[in-house]
Amino acid sequence: MATSPVPDVVLKADISLVVLNITATITGLVGNSLATIYFSRSSPRKKNKLVISLYTAVSVTDLGLCVAQIPVLVSTVAERHPAYFSQGILCVAWRVIFKTLQRFSVFLVVVMSITRAVGLLCPFKQINDTAVLSATWTYM
């Protein structure tokens, strides 16, 4: 089956998309790698155990999202040649991984927001770290 040539407008849009995507991916890989290293090496005091755990989880999840973006970049750079996505099973696996990481990342931000709100509204209330982390891992 012959493919039709890609119009110039689409190629220009692809170039812009690739430049933005590469920039975001590299920035995300570097930033989240540094954040993961920083938070994993932090010595959590009893008070900050939950915060450090959540920040580490967000960094690792976002790092996974950046890595999952690489096959899309390869496909786009190769003028939309399917590359890794020519296999149906790889396509399905990539989608499951990517969607799971996206949802988990949003969930972690919601958990962080709720724990911060509780901390601001009830400053003397002790948040049960084990319950929050258990709920987080259960969601995953």
Side-chain angles (χ1 to χ4, degrees):
M1 182 165 120
T3 59
S4 58
V6 180
D8 285 342
V9 175
V10 174
L11 287 176
K12 289 178 183 175
D14 278 355
I15 291 170
S16 300
L17 180 66
V18 165
V19 168
L20 287 171
N21 218 339
I22 288 174
T23 304
T25 301
I26 291 172
T27 303
L29 286 171
V30 171
N32 286 308
S33 296
L34 292 174
T36 301
I37 291 168
Y38 175 78
F39 289 120
S40 64
R41 289 186 180 174
S42 296
S43 57
R45 296 176 295 202
K46 183 167 175 54
K47 187 176 180 180
N48 291 335
K49 178 182 166 196
L50 177 63
V51 174
I52 289 174
S53 298
L54 289 174
Y55 279 131
T56 303
V58 168
S59 300
V60 169
T61 304
D62 289 349
L63 188 61
L65 280 168
C66 290
V67 170
Q69 191 62 28
I70 293 172
V72 176
L73 283 170
V74 170
S75 254
T76 311
V77 168
E79 294 179 358
R80 296 185 182 251
H81 184 273
Y84 300 111
F85 296 111
S86 61
Q87 304 275 331
I89 191 75
L90 291 178
C91 216
V92 169
W94 177 87
R95 185 170 192 270
V96 167
I97 291 168
F98 196 75
K99 288 293 182 183
T100 302
L101 288 171
Q102 279 181 328
R103 289 182 178 139
F104 192 59
S105 182
V106 171
F107 177 77
L108 286 170
V109 171
V110 169
V111 169
M112 284 181 10
S113 299
I114 291 171
T115 56
R116 285 181 177 180
V118 169
L120 288 172
L121 294 174
C122 308
F124 300 111
K125 172 129 176 88
Q126 183 66 25
I127 297 174
N128 186 345
D129 296 356
T130 308
V132 173
L133 293 175
S134 296
T136 302
W137 290 117
T138 301
Y139 178 82
M140 187 173 170

